[in-house]
Amino acid sequence: MQRPGRAGSPAPSPAGRAVPGAGLQLPGCPAGCRGAERPRTAAAMAWRAAPRAAARLLRGRRGIASCIDPSTGLTEDQKEFQKVAFDFAAKEMAPYMAEWDEKEIFPVETMRKAAQLGFGGIYVKPDVGGSGLSRLDTSIIFEALSTGCTSTTAYMSIHNMCVWMIDTFGNEEQRRRFCPSLCSMEKFASYCLTEPGSGSDAASLLTSAQRKGDTYVLNGSKAFISGGGDTDVYVVMCRTGGPGPKGISCLVLEKGMPGLSFGKKEKKVGWNSQPTRAVIFEDCVVPVDNRLGAEGQGFSIAMQGLNGGRINIASCSLGAAHASVLLAQEHLTVRKQFGEPLANNQYLQFGLAEMATRLLAARLMVRNAARALQEGRQDAAVLCSMAKLFATDECFGICNQALQMHGGYGYLKDYAVQQFVRDIRVHQILEGKRCSYYKCSGSGIRRKTALEAPTFPQESDSWVSEPCSALGVRCAVCECLGQGLWLCGSRGRYLVGYFKSLTAEEDI
Amino acid sequence: MAALRVLVGVKRVIDFAVKVRVAPGGAAVQTQGVKHSLNPFCEIALEEAVRLREAGAATEVVVATLGTKASQETLRTALAMGADRAVLAELAEGAAAGPREVAVALAALARRLQPQLVLLGKQAIDDDCNQTGQILAAILDWPQGTFASRVSLEPGAVQVQREVDGGLETLRLRLPAVLTADLRLNEPRYATLPNIMKAKKKPLEVVPAADLGVPAGPPRLRLLQLQEPPPRAGGEKVESVESLLGKLRHAGRI
């Protein structure tokens, strides 16, 4: 890509016609580069400007009075929470988002400031320092914070998830020991489930925890742990019993425990404001008092944590998409081609309208799932899966389209839109790859279409897949089929095959 | 410690990040469906009052506004930031008020509540009048310290550093006094989530504006016309300094 020439030597335009607003010329473009300046959108200028100026200009991301205004339909309280989160994001996060990404800084002080406002344990009970808010309130808050820096907000959501797990499944002593310092973000937490050999198939994890007196000795390793190495508290799913989900327990480890070490910091496409490392256990000794819940309950705890985690990650995607739509809108009004602003171009107008529509649809799905979860409805888990699947996909598409609308500028790191695209790409992958949603949602659909259930052997427990039962969807087949059914390919055919195998009552 | 009540006047204005549009007719801006929020200078005034209370110099912060029912949300924000209670001097829907009307309402409240200090923002970002504090001080016959960039309470008096055209001026005013806050007085806090929830329980009193002596009818200041500035005309390049000066003289600029 050619950069605009510096003033003083504009190339002569072959057609002899002034090309207004021509800045970056891509190879193959007939008109010569006139050395004109880049579109002076407020957001672009502010991107590298002093924090205060940036904050003022970037506050436009609050999305004032438009059809995608994220505050429609909210209660007065929720609007207040959202306002605080937007203000915090615009002032404390947005001006530094690029720097944190470029220098891979884990913004500890900024997150602690957020925790002072109550963002450290949003849905944790107040008696241990949490804010005691609902899932919907949490979704709204993360969506707003994400407009400032998606990567940091995503880490904060993981942290919140861990604190909630300790708050909900820990006994009084554990809650008092861990939650207050986590809610204030004096200490940070990481969620350790994934291993090199078990990602989607989380129930097959291998990290072992052998009981020795009143301790567990852990051996194994976890991969792709957000915050790993920099955080203080690790919520680890490990195997205390037999194979499958029922043999998994949940232990809380602290940095500094002998035998706990970390791998190298991974280099990532996005999410650079949070470190990602492997977590390694070599004869790591953990007191039994650090176990959350009962032995064998670990997988259920992990999955229930993930329900909320999925809404939170989806909410982070919503925030990034919202910010991207506003950035695209601004760019279209400023950038001129063919003698008029891009905003007069019907194709782009339609594009913007589509982006707004998809954003609204995604937001409604996420908020609906959040409501279902906080009401404890039976279909909550499937709704969370579906919402996460839909919202992360749609929002990535929106951010990508916004980047496209920026033209060549969208590809430059001077402009924020590329960071949103990079940061939310991983939301489609983690906290449950898309495929597993198809699996679980497919199972849910199967139940709801009330097909004839196959007859199970009498030892029906081993036929019920724990992950799906923990999610509230009883799948009779994934366990026995081993890898389950991945429907990311020819979706329709797999579903049909699935149903056929059931009605045929195959003896598996 | 003697009770020292601070009355803070606030205003609900169009949010500063909104792109304002002139309403059809040209005599007002569009306010329907547009996001409103607490005036930034009022926020600074409120922050100062809350800090005074936290430092122990004041005992109670009462926040008040003259507005329609929608202003209640602004008062809730103020309560979330730390005010103890709120008073809404309620106007009928569609009614407007200018600085004089606001000053009359605040004066009546001041006589009722007996504050030692009244803190206002120096101006509202919608009309930029910069009059309310001054008119209020005149009605009450209290000393005034406007454009305050530093405030410190002393027994029976308040020391105010003012930002004036010539630089900084420091005054000592006998209490009770009226102060208006300028930009550099402080940096307003974010409302914390727990405070937002506590704000629901704080008292918010609604008083009809007429009860406070606000005259019915249109405000004293009437806005005649609003128009956008003319679009920027093209410039002109000249060859020499002489021709530049000639052209400037010709255009009457020098």
Side-chain angles (χ1 to χ4, degrees), chain A residues 62 64-65 77 80 91 117, chain B residues 15 18 33 77 187 193 200:
Chain A
R62 221 195 275 169
I64 317 294
D77 275 352
E80 286 292 332
K91 209 161 153 206
L117 302 184
Chain B
D15 189 282
V18 172
T77 306
E187 183 126 358
L193 297 184
K200 277 195 291 209

Side-chain angles (χ1 to χ4, degrees), chain A residues 52 56 59-60 62 64-65 69 71 76-77 80-84 87-88 91-92 116-119 122 131 133 141 330, chain B residues 15-19 33-35 37-38 43 73-74 76-77 80 183-184 186-188 190-194 196-197 200:
Chain A
R52 231 181 158 164
R56 272 190 295 116
R59 275 197 205 191
R62 221 195 275 169
I64 317 294
D69 186 350
S71 67
E76 286 306 319
D77 275 352
E80 286 292 332
F81 302 145
Q82 189 181 59
K83 180 178 175 300
V84 175
D87 286 346
F88 187 84
K91 209 161 153 206
E92 309 283 341
Q116 275 174 10
L117 302 184
F119 296 150
I122 302 177
S131 301
L133 298 185
I141 289 169
E330 169 113 45
Chain B
D15 189 282
F16 75 92
V18 172
K19 282 199 168 69
V34 173
K35 191 160 194 122
S37 54
L38 183 53
E43 241 182 340
E73 73 185 33
T74 313
R76 287 277 167 224
T77 306
L183 187 65
R184 278 157 285 275
N186 60 47
E187 183 126 358
Y190 300 105
T192 66
L193 297 184
I196 292 172
M197 303 210 288
K200 277 195 291 209

Side-chain angles (χ1 to χ4, degrees), chain A residues 383-443:
Chain A
L383 286 178
C384 292
S385 296
M386 287 177 161
K388 194 257 185 189
L389 168 64
F390 186 80
T392 53
D393 279 355
E394 287 300 304
C395 292
F396 181 76
I398 291 166
C399 290
N400 198 27
Q401 200 173 351
L403 192 154
Q404 182 76 25
M405 287 178 169
H406 275 73
Y409 296 104
Y411 209 60
L412 302 181
K413 284 201 173 175
D414 293 328
Y415 288 70
V417 69
Q418 45 77 35
Q419 190 174 337
F420 286 121
V421 170
R422 287 187 288 114
D423 279 342
I424 68 167
R425 179 59 184 90
V426 73
H427 295 197
Q428 294 171 278
I429 298 172
L430 45 61
E431 297 213 15
K433 277 217 312 295
R434 308 164 60 207
C435 318
S436 23
Y437 296 123
Y438 286 123
K439 177 174 84 133
C440 293
S441 305
S443 315

Side-chain angles (χ1 to χ4, degrees), chain B residues 41-145:
Chain B
F41 293 108
C42 300
E43 241 182 340
I44 294 172
L46 176 61
E47 172 67 21
E48 194 62 24
V50 174
R51 286 191 191 185
L52 286 173
R53 191 200 59 216
E54 285 171 351
T59 45
E60 194 190 14
V61 175
V62 183
V63 63
T65 191
L66 174 68
T68 58
K69 208 200 297 251
S71 296
Q72 283 197 23
E73 73 185 33
T74 313
L75 290 176
R76 287 277 167 224
T77 306
L79 289 170
M81 277 179 66
D84 297 302
R85 58 190 172 102
V87 180
L88 170 65
E90 192 172 2
L91 288 173
E93 286 301 321
R100 168 120 185 139
E101 289 73 29
V102 175
V104 166
L106 287 177
L109 280 175
R111 284 188 207 104
R112 263 197 214 184
L113 297 170
Q114 304 279 310
Q116 290 289 292
L117 197 57
V118 178
L119 273 166
L120 306 177
K122 72 170 178 178
Q123 66 199 58
I125 60 170
D126 51 6
D127 54 23
D128 285 320
C129 280
N130 186 0
Q131 296 171 14
T132 309
Q134 291 87 333
I135 298 177
L136 175 62
I139 294 177
L140 292 171
D141 198 24
W142 287 3
Q144 57 178 275

